[in-house]
Amino acid sequence: MFNRGQKLLLLKLLSLFSVVRGYNVLMIAIAQYLTSIYILAPNIPVRKVLFDPYLFAIVVASAIAIAAGYIINSFYDAEKDLINRPTKSMLDRLVSQRFKLSTYFILNFISVIFASYVSFRAVVFFSLYIFGIWLYSHKLKKIPFVGNFVSATLAITPFFAVFVYYKNFQPVIFVHAIFLFLIILMREMVKDLENIKGDIAHNYQTIPVVYGEKTSKIFITVLGGLTLIPSYFLVSYFSVGYMYIFFYACMLLMLVFIFFLWRSSTKVHYLVLHNILKFIIISGVLSILLIDIDLLLNRIL
C-alpha cells in the first residue's frame, strides 16, 4: 500500500502527464515514424529509418517541444479551464504554476539540445517553433480565425520537420498534409464551440464569441466539405494501397459529422463532435499501415 506522501507524488505525476497530454505526444511521435516509413522514405529499409539517430533526435525534439507547449498553454488557460474543464483542472492544479513554468523552460532547453544534434538549421527551426507556440498561447489564440489557423499550423509543423529532413517533395505528401490540416482546423473550431462559456468569461475573441455559433458552424461545414477534395484526389490519383478504405470511411463519417453539427447546441454535443474528429485523426495515423501491408516485412532488412 502507498503511504500519503507516495500517493501525493503519484497524483502529481499523473497531473503533470495530464498537463503535457502524454498520450497526444506519443501519438504524434508514432505518426512521425509511420509517415517517415510509408510516405516520406518508402525506399529506405525500415531498420535504417527506425534507428536513424537524426530522425530520432527530430522526433524527440518535437515531442518535448509539444509537451512544453501544452504546459505553457495550460499556464495561460488555468482560469478559463476551471469553467470549461473543471474536473481536469482540479487534477492539473496539483502541479503549481511555478513548477509548470520551470518545467516549460527546462523542456524547451532539452528540445533545442536534441535539435542541435541534427544541425544548426534544426536549432533555428525548433527555436522558432517554440516561440510560435508561446506566441499562440499568450496572444494569438484569443484572435478569431488567426488563433485557429495558427493552432492547426503548429499541429502539423513537427511533420514538416521530418519532411524537410528527407527532402521528399512529391505532391502526394502535400495532399496528405492539406487533408490533415483541414481536419485539425475543424477540431480547433469545434473546441471553440465546446469552450464558449469560458472564452466569454475571459474575453477570448473566438469565432463563436464574436460572430455567433451559427457562423462558426458554417465555417466548420465549409472545411468539412473541403476535406472531401484531398480525400478524392488521394484515392483517385495516388497510390495509397488499402488506405483508400480510410478515406472512403472518412468521407461518409464527415457527412454524418456535419449532419449532427447542425443539431448540436450543448457542450456535451460539441464534445462528441470533437471526439469524432479526434477519432478520424488517430485512425488516419494508424491507417498509414494500410498503404502497404507487406511493406514492413519486406523492408525490415
Side-chain angles (χ1 to χ4, degrees):
M1 294 294 291
F2 295 110
N3 58 40
R4 188 173 181 277
Q6 291 173 326
K7 287 180 180 179
L8 182 60
L9 177 61
L10 187 62
L11 282 173
K12 286 187 175 182
L13 290 174
L14 182 61
S15 174
L16 186 61
F17 184 82
S18 174
V19 170
V20 303
R21 301 187 190 182
Y23 43 87
N24 284 354
V25 175
L26 177 61
M27 184 55 63
I28 292 171
I30 292 172
Q32 284 178 296
Y33 269 108
L34 289 178
T35 302
S36 299
I37 293 169
Y38 282 87
I39 300 175
L40 296 174
N43 299 317
I44 299 177
V46 172
R47 181 180 295 178
K48 287 188 177 180
V49 176
L50 291 177
F51 295 100
D52 182 342
Y54 297 109
L55 176 60
F56 176 76
I58 290 172
V59 172
V60 173
S62 300
I64 295 175
I66 292 167
Y70 281 127
I71 289 175
I72 198 65
N73 192 59
S74 173
F75 178 84
Y76 284 118
D77 284 353
E79 298 302 320
K80 187 186 78 166
D81 286 343
L82 283 173
I83 299 173
N84 292 328
R85 301 180 181 88
T87 303
K88 184 178 184 299
S89 292
M90 293 306 294
L91 177 62
D92 292 352
R93 288 169 77 88
L94 289 175
V95 177
S96 69
Q97 293 288 76
R98 182 178 178 180
F99 181 79
K100 287 180 184 178
L101 205 55
S102 299
T103 306
Y104 166 74
F105 286 113
I106 292 171
L107 289 179
N108 283 332
F109 178 75
I110 295 173
S111 176
V112 173
I113 291 297
F114 272 95
S116 68
Y117 179 76
V118 181
S119 67
F120 176 73
R121 287 186 299 177
V123 171
V124 174
F125 177 90
F126 279 99
S127 296
L128 291 174
Y129 180 54
I130 290 167
F131 174 76
I133 293 175
W134 171 81
L135 185 62
Y136 162 76
S137 300
H138 183 53
K139 291 288 186 182
L140 299 181
K141 72 183 303 179
K142 298 180 181 181
I143 305 173
F145 299 107
V146 174
N148 302 114
F149 185 85
V150 171
S151 178
T153 302
L154 290 171
I156 66 171
T157 298
F159 298 96
F160 182 73
V162 182
F163 158 75
V164 172
Y165 173 65
Y166 282 111
K167 297 180 174 65
N168 189 334
F169 303 101
Q170 293 184 31
V172 64
I173 296 169
F174 293 98
V175 181
H176 274 287
I178 291 170
F179 173 81
L180 178 61
F181 177 82
L182 290 172
I183 294 293
I184 293 175
L185 186 54
M186 289 178 65
R187 189 188 67 169
E188 292 302 316
M189 290 190 173
V190 170
K191 282 167 63 178
D192 286 344
L193 288 169
E194 181 185 342
N195 299 330
I196 190 169
K197 288 185 179 180
D199 290 341
I200 292 174
H202 292 275
N203 198 32
Y204 278 50
Q205 299 300 298
T206 60
I207 296 173
V209 171
V210 178
Y211 301 101
E213 292 187 41
K214 183 178 179 180
T215 300
S216 187
K217 289 180 180 182
I218 291 173
F219 278 109
I220 294 170
T221 301
V222 171
L223 290 172
L226 290 176
T227 63
L228 302 179
I229 298 175
S231 296
Y232 170 76
F233 274 96
L234 285 168
V235 299
S236 301
Y237 297 100
F238 298 103
S239 177
V240 293
Y242 288 105
M243 195 179 181
Y244 76 87
I245 298 172
F246 163 76
F247 288 111
Y248 279 127
C250 186
M251 291 180 194
L252 179 62
L253 189 57
M254 191 57 62
L255 296 175
V256 174
F257 171 88
I258 293 173
F259 174 81
F260 284 107
L261 171 67
W262 286 96
R263 281 165 171 71
S264 298
S265 58
T266 67
K267 181 179 177 66
V268 174
H269 293 160
Y270 295 130
L271 179 60
V272 172
L273 293 173
H274 180 189
N275 287 331
I276 289 175
L277 294 176
K278 185 180 289 187
F279 171 77
I280 290 175
I281 294 171
I282 294 175
S283 59
V285 169
L286 299 178
S287 294
I288 294 175
L289 293 166
L290 298 176
I291 291 178
D292 189 341
I293 297 176
D294 297 325
L295 179 144
L296 194 62
L297 295 176
N298 295 337
R299 286 173 53 205
I300 199 69
L301 299 177

